[in-house]
Amino acid sequence: MHLENQAPAAAAVGTPTHARRRWSATDLSLIAVFAAFVAALAILPAIPAGPLGVPLTLQTLAVMVTGIVLGPGRGFAAVALYVAVGLAGLPIFAGFSGGVGVLAGPSAGYLLAFPLAALVAGFLARLVLARVRRFRYAALFAACMVTSLLVVHTLGIAGLMINGKLDFVTAILADLIYLPGDVVKNLVAAAIGLSVHRAFPRLIGTGRNASVTAT
């Protein structure tokens, strides 16, 4: 009888609790709020730039903040929700545009990169906050820059080549216009993310109790 009572307890101990975790009402609320946050920064006045007029916006700032604040899963969900609602027709993309027609434009690669960028930035931020004890601001900034270069700019260049009919070298040169702005926005995103995690160290789900301290 004693052994029978111990078996369920042992099974429960052997089952990772995080594997059974479901998003709570708070998680869903955060996803909705950050989707609205991305939309709000996207519809601020944009500056057309480059040979194809792909606009300079604050979207990438919002995407990075969403990823490093919410973490990979919820960050991806929030930005994917924003993209899905915009593709459904709501005019929440840059220049108050919306609908699937934007996928034929030169900025399509950047737009489709945003959910993946939030995922990668969130994953890297979670690693930084769980393992880095010093220079966390610099590490978060590096996480944002790696994400920008490997995800946003890579897919953005692909979009310029496919929809903009640019050759590879010309597409890279056109994309370089956006790099200085991304550096500034990633500096801001890292500062916002670090401030949020100082106040709410468990928000991203690092699984550790370590305080978030910048040096």
Side-chain angles (χ1 to χ4, degrees), residues 42-82:
I43 61 178
L44 291 176
I47 303 173
L52 299 177
V54 176
L56 287 166
T57 72
L58 294 179
Q59 278 178 296
T60 48
L61 169 61
V63 169
M64 292 301 170
V65 169
T66 298
I68 64 178
V69 167
L70 295 186
R74 293 175 301 176
F76 174 85
V79 181
L81 175 61
Y82 158 74

Side-chain angles (χ1 to χ4, degrees), residues 80-141:
L81 175 61
Y82 158 74
V83 172
V85 171
L87 292 178
L90 202 65
I92 55 175
F93 295 150
F96 294 96
S97 60
V100 294
V102 299
L103 297 180
S107 62
Y110 296 102
L111 180 63
L112 294 177
F114 288 160
L116 182 58
L119 175 70
V120 174
F123 174 76
L124 294 177
R126 178 174 287 176
L127 289 179
V128 167
L129 295 172
R131 300 182 182 182
V132 177
R133 293 292 174 263
R134 301 184 62 192
F135 308 111
R136 277 177 166 164
Y137 173 71
L140 280 178
F141 168 68

Side-chain angles (χ1 to χ4, degrees), residues 8-20:
V13 171
T15 302
T17 57
H18 63 79
R20 295 176 177 272

